[in-house]
Amino acid sequence: MLLIECPWCGPRDEIEFVCGGQAGVSYPPDPFALDDDEWGHYLFVRDNPAGPLAEQWCHTAGCRSWFIVERDTLTQHVLATRKLPEAGEEL
Amino acid sequence: MGTRNASAGDGMPQLADRLWRSAEPAASYDAVIVGAGGHGLAAAYYLATEHGIRNLAVLEHGWLAGGNMARNTAIIRSNYLLEASAALYEHALQLWERMEDDLGQPVLFDQRGVLNLAHTLQEVRDGVRRVEANRLSGIDADWLTPDEVADVCPVVDVSDRLRYPVLGATYQPRAGIAKHDLVAWAYAKRLYDLGVDLIEGCEVTGIETAGGRVSGIATTRGRIATGTVGLAAAGRTSVLTEPLGLALPLQSHPLQALVSELFEPVHPTVVMSNAVHVYVSQAHKGELVLGAGVDGYNGYAQRGSFHVIEEQLAAAIELFPAFAGAHVLRTWAGVVDITPDASPIIDSTPIDGLFVNCGWGTGGFKATPAAGRLFAHTIATGSPHELSRPYVLDRFASGALIDEHGAAAVAH
């Protein structure tokens, strides 16, 4: 069981959360400019590293907020957690 | 339910002392398969026997069949919903039915049938639809009432005591289980007899390209020159392709399973339940084998979270009250590579000479002989076999997905 520090509620058991996959995947600014390969890539391809990965998690059984978890997929260690960036800020 | 006192291995076939030898890597091969799990071994077997490619090596970073081939629940069935899937898995089932004749070794393929339980009205509708679709595809399938479920598997509780009572089940009598180790050993022996090199303890650290085509591979045991590389590396496929700029639609997740101590035969078939989520059979030696759903996060550690096992055991004890007295002997996880449509990818890639067999997710074991045969066809001819034509990478651009989340039976 992972112990995850919600930026709003503090450290809680993994069962209170859901993992929403890779963080920072933005909707394309102009979807109509993409060809089928690029659109398929946006829809279906996500990073899949054996090592550090920035993910979005939601504290579904707590404050219900989304936030960022940096986690090492090889060791299962949670490296850091933080609030989502404000509009215009870098991830 | 008495604990069995006979020695472990009781009823197991006697094998020769030595079935294969791990080879030293040569300087070059006509083709190299990466991954000595079931799919990699089967691909090499069919390359050698159906395509005449014998100057061939199978590289394995660990040991023979030490990855997902040793970590699955050994369930074999072909009752998938869609035509493309039914054709693929039925081809596999037919190859299983003749595997012992093909390979000349016992694999304990035991067609004890599989029940897929329905616990909600929607699952009943989906199950009946799947039975009808299977019959149209020529696959054996029946819809059973709860009483008929109890006839097939008396240890399932079909009473209305359950929070989610059993409302019926699909039943495929030709489905079953095999002994995964024996399958790997049978392939390894045939490959050894055919002169194919099986090289254990040899990790691929890079795939070399020149002018857009494969020229060799770097390994922890030196460089190997080859123009043809087939990846059968399951959860570690992305790690191998990412340095080439080839990002595949795969996510690697832990998938857990466990076994109990040995018992006298109590469970005559295979029972799967999507809604309460567990799948159970009894191994030839007598352990109860229980499979879970995938852990929700990406992970390469070959272990998952404890609460997933708790949920799976709660489901098992609800469905099989007699199992409440059993003990967990061993738990483990494999790393499964999951695609967005829960269907596999068997294809060439934009890099000449590089081929991928991946994305089998939670259901690769049952496909072992077909995956190997179709992958060998793609590698040898450069184009898909008729059965694997739908399973190309381009479907994630064209939109022709093969959505098998319903029949895949493991929640992800």
Side-chain angles (χ1 to χ4, degrees), chain A residues 14 47-49 71 73 76, chain B residues 238 251-252 298 300 303 305:
Chain A
E14 176 196 339
D47 290 349
N48 189 28
R71 206 171 49 82
T73 63
Q76 315 272 50
Chain B
S238 299
Q251 294 284 288
S252 297
N298 291 26
Y300 283 85
R303 67 173 188 272
S305 291

Side-chain angles (χ1 to χ4, degrees), chain B residues 314-331:
Chain B
I317 291 168
E318 177 92 342
L319 280 174
F320 303 90
F323 292 179
H327 300 90
V328 174
L329 193 68
R330 205 166 65 244
T331 78

